[in-house]
Amino acid sequence: MSTDTAPATAAEGTAPEDNVRWFAELGLADLEVVGGKNSSLGEMISQLADAGVRVPDGFATTASAYQRFLGDTGLAARIADRLRTLDTDDVRALSAAGAEIRQLVVDQPFPPALEADVRAAYARLAGDDAAVSFAVRSSATAEDLPDASFAGQQETFLNVRGIDAVLQAVREVYASLYNDRAIAYRVHHGFDHEAVSLSAGVQRMVRSDLGASGVLFTMDTESGFRDAVFVTSAYGLGEGVVQGAVNPDEFYIYKPALAAGRPAVLKRGVGEKATKMVYTDHAEVGRTTEFVDVDPAQRRLLSLTDAEVTELARQAVRIEEHYGRPMDIEWGKDGLTGELFVLQARPETVQSRAGNVTERYRLTGSGEVLVEGRAIGQKIGAGAVRVLSDIDQMDSFTPGDVLVADMTDPDWEPIMKRASAIVTNRGGRTCHAAIIARELGIPAVVGTGTATRSLRDGDPVTVSCAEGDTGLVYAGAVDFEVSETSLEAMPEIPTKIMMNVGTPEQAFAFSRLPNAGVGLARLEFVINRQIGIHPRALLELDTLDAPLKRQVEERIVAYPSARDFFVSRVAEGVSMIAAAFAPEPVIVRMSDFKSNEYANLLGGEHYEPHEENPMLGYRGASRYLSADFAECFAMECEALRYVRDEMGLTNVQIMIPFVRTVAEIEGVVRLLGEHGLRRGENGLKVVMMCELPSNALLADAFLDHVDGFSIGSNDMTQLVLGLDRDSSLVAGSFDERDPAVLAVLEMAISACLARGKYVGICGQGPSDHPDLAEWLVARGIGSMSLNPDTVVDTWLHLARTAAGG
């Protein structure tokens, strides 16, 4: 330290910089001096402040100060003796040894020089502000290494006020190096206890108790997708999110749009946020924070604005660029000033280690869903339920059991290592249970709300995180399979393989499979999952009866209006898929609900006709052109225009389903243009589903108005063969390979090839029948859009066929 910042009270023979260092004087090269966390704080303050990264000021005690604290007092030898023969797999022995060592450390007075230097640094940092409070955090010298996550193993103390409380918190931090979990982690990962030292960081508190806070990652934590920033946020201090006590809001931000200065928020998710951690007035008796209930009206709102989420993402990307690797960042919003601060930053240690092989888990059986929550990972696990309310019950836990708890904290880690899956009542995707489950490679379902009440001890269950964003716990042992896919270069084949993707939350994971884009993104899937309300009920909200109006208003409260809710949520779903696969094309089919399906949406029964055969009724192009649906279609167009023109995701193309006549496609293309989606403008392509015999018979006339066909083999087969594909009575006759169907398909393919226009197929047929896929390739099909679970097998089958195998 320079002479103007050095405390004047250093003991003779000990330079103050040997005990205390200011963050601004530190960098990543000082990991051995102040540990990973504090050296990273110093790096950001000294190197990234000019780039707009805000980090609260503070100072750190040094590793050498810690070593003197142990060595000069004789504690080091006593601790080494106590740990020398300890069996860390013996939970009770581990607990007893840890408690004994921690008490020794807390009871040990500081060497006089260290205490004097901390007092002097505190006086300078606090100044004349009597109300100032501090966070005292641990920082281990082996912490946050690229290949080892020590995160959360040592303690953090918040709202620490006054020098005496700070000194006590520093001692508690030192003691926390010998938490049970930290002792076990070092043993299991081959770190010598003596090789790890501890630094205590003393940092000014951000008043997020009055604002919001959370955790963010500069990649998607579940799939490893690198072009998104994932942000969690809740009211109050961030420890509530980290501990898993709060189910937070979630946001995804698209990095390329952020870099281009465009709207970049891909997804907004409202979390429960039932409680928040705040300061307490009882700090003088050792309790510095507490949980309080959040006002119910506030819970349903988003805790951050789009502008704030975007600013957090900007700071995060700057940090990632500086460190050159994905990062795990804690942040806080000061409720007094509205400023956003970075509180910690460490390397992300799970997905960034992922290799070029991906495992895909898939349920092959079915069962009763007992509880559901947030899916962590994309795996499936099974075992007997073991409901634990306290870590002292861990002796009853058998390896392979499913751990069910209200929430977990780092003390639970020894038992979590034995679990086949984890299920908690509380927590979001960045809570402790989620982080450890990812590191262990086991599935977890967090934030279920009722798991400890709904699941019975000893009952067999299957925990599935392989079905999207929602994790499901099934009764009994449900069959599942695991397939492994190499992500290395796939063999050449004479067509393009695309995917059918209708669930935005799975898009990032699916994009890791080999692909040439998305040949079918069903907008009705997005509307069903993201909205669940009939669009006319949203447009006519003020005319609804009171009970229905209340239901709708509860769902849309986080958005400015009912129309904003629909447009934003549709845009979120489409942009998630488009971002996942960019720059490859994503062909979005406008909504193709039938009247009976629309009727199932909230309020739908008020607007939908009863039809004897909805499959052949009010659907597709004819619906878009009807007066009753005109404004609903306008909202769909507004969402897609926002994704393409505002967010810059021009890989989105539009597909029109169930077009009966040439006049209909003319009318729809004209209507798209009136809503700002003009074919050919800004690279927009409009494709038509070729799924009625009339489409193939008059292919040239239809192709005059569109950029190509995507063959819908399901409806085409139904209409050529004259059978209802929803009827079990005639299901046995449904076969896309029937000669009559093939004749019509060949007619459509030939017409597109003759005109030099796109032709693909997005029906079920090629996914189910490899011989049909071969036939399509032989006829010159440009692309096949398959279900994700058949992509690799079909690709390899076509490669073998092309090679004569």
Side-chain angles (χ1 to χ4, degrees), residues 53 71 86 176 193 256 322 333 360 369 462 501 564 569 571 644 760:
V53 177
L86 177 66
S176 72
H193 297 295
H322 180 77
K333 174 188 173 182
R360 178 163 168 74
V369 175
T462 301
V501 178
D564 284 319
R569 295 288 284 173
R644 283 181 47 82

Side-chain angles (χ1 to χ4, degrees), residues 80-88:
D81 285 343
R82 186 68 179 84
L83 293 176
R84 189 166 288 113
T85 58
L86 177 66
D87 178 5
T88 55

Side-chain angles (χ1 to χ4, degrees), residues 169-220:
V170 171
R171 264 193 296 270
E172 297 278 1
V173 162
Y174 284 178
S176 72
L177 189 61
Y178 296 96
N179 281 335
D180 300 354
R181 59 192 179 261
I183 295 171
Y185 188 95
R186 290 194 293 272
V187 170
H188 293 150
H189 287 80
F191 290 93
D192 291 334
H193 297 295
E194 296 81 3
V196 183
S197 294
L198 212 58
S199 164
V202 179
Q203 186 178 37
R204 270 183 173 269
M205 286 285 290
V206 171
R207 290 305 303 269
S208 52
D209 60 308
L210 304 174
S213 57
V215 181
L216 66 83
F217 292 84
T218 60
M219 68 188 305
D220 178 45

Side-chain angles (χ1 to χ4, degrees), residues 632-780:
C632 303
F633 186 68
M635 290 197 296
E636 293 184 22
C637 292
E638 185 178 343
L640 266 64
R641 188 176 69 247
Y642 178 85
V643 172
R644 283 181 47 82
D645 296 347
E646 300 302 318
M647 299 187 73
L649 287 161
T650 54
N651 61 322
V652 168
Q653 301 175 11
I654 290 175
M655 182 153 65
I656 306 303
F658 219 76
V659 183
R660 293 181 171 96
T661 67
V662 174
E664 281 189 344
I665 194 60
E666 284 185 275
V668 172
V669 170
R670 183 171 58 251
L671 195 55
L672 286 171
E674 291 171 4
H675 291 307
L677 293 168
R678 297 173 186 86
R679 180 179 164 222
E681 193 171 284
N682 200 14
L684 175 61
K685 292 184 178 180
V686 178
V687 176
M688 194 185 95
M689 287 285 286
C690 177
E691 54 190 337
L692 288 82
S694 61
N695 303 152
L697 291 167
L698 298 179
D700 268 330
F702 282 104
L703 288 170
D704 286 341
H705 304 284
V706 294
D707 295 292
F709 283 167
S710 181
I711 297 170
S713 58
N714 297 344
D715 270 343
M716 185 66 87
T717 302
Q718 170 180 244
L719 295 171
V720 169
L721 298 181
L723 55 82
D724 180 355
R725 61 187 170 99
D726 285 345
S727 171
S728 60
L729 299 175
V730 293
S733 300
F734 187 93
D735 190 343
E736 300 94 328
R737 298 165 297 176
D738 184 277
V741 178
L742 295 180
V744 175
L745 298 190
E746 186 164 16
M747 192 182 301
I749 295 169
S750 298
C752 290
L753 294 177
R755 296 281 297 270
K757 298 213 173 192
Y758 168 81
V759 60
I761 187 167
C762 60
Q764 185 73 21
S767 293
D768 290 345
H769 306 298
D771 57 333
L772 177 59
E774 291 177 36
W775 183 90
L776 289 164
V777 169
R779 296 308 177 278

Side-chain angles (χ1 to χ4, degrees), residues 26-32 35-36 39-43 46 322-323:
L26 296 168
L28 292 180
D30 296 303
L31 185 144
E32 292 299 322
S39 63
S40 185
L41 288 170
E43 180 77 9
S46 62
H322 180 77
Y323 283 73

Side-chain angles (χ1 to χ4, degrees), residues 489-507:
M490 296 288 283
E492 290 290 327
I493 55 174
T495 191
K496 293 181 178 179
I497 298 294
M498 304 176 83
M499 269 187 269
N500 300 333
V501 178
T503 49
E505 61 268 22
Q506 291 182 288

Side-chain angles (χ1 to χ4, degrees), residues 438-503:
R438 285 190 204 99
E439 188 164 302
L440 296 174
I442 60 175
V445 178
V446 301
T448 64
T450 64
T452 55
R453 300 191 302 275
S454 301
L455 303 179
R456 294 191 309 177
D457 207 64
D459 283 359
V461 294
T462 301
V463 179
S464 173
C465 295
E467 299 168 77
D469 207 31
T470 301
L472 303 171
V473 180
Y474 293 92
V478 179
D479 290 338
F480 64 93
E481 63 182 20
V482 185
S483 59
E484 199 172 80
T485 302
S486 172
L487 301 181
E488 303 292 348
M490 296 288 283
E492 290 290 327
I493 55 174
T495 191
K496 293 181 178 179
I497 298 294
M498 304 176 83
M499 269 187 269
N500 300 333
V501 178
T503 49

Side-chain angles (χ1 to χ4, degrees), residues 36-59:
K37 193 175 299 174
N38 288 335
S39 63
S40 185
L41 288 170
E43 180 77 9
M44 289 187 291
I45 288 176
S46 62
Q47 301 297 320
L48 295 175
D50 291 343
V53 177
R54 301 189 198 94
V55 179
D57 198 10
F59 64 88

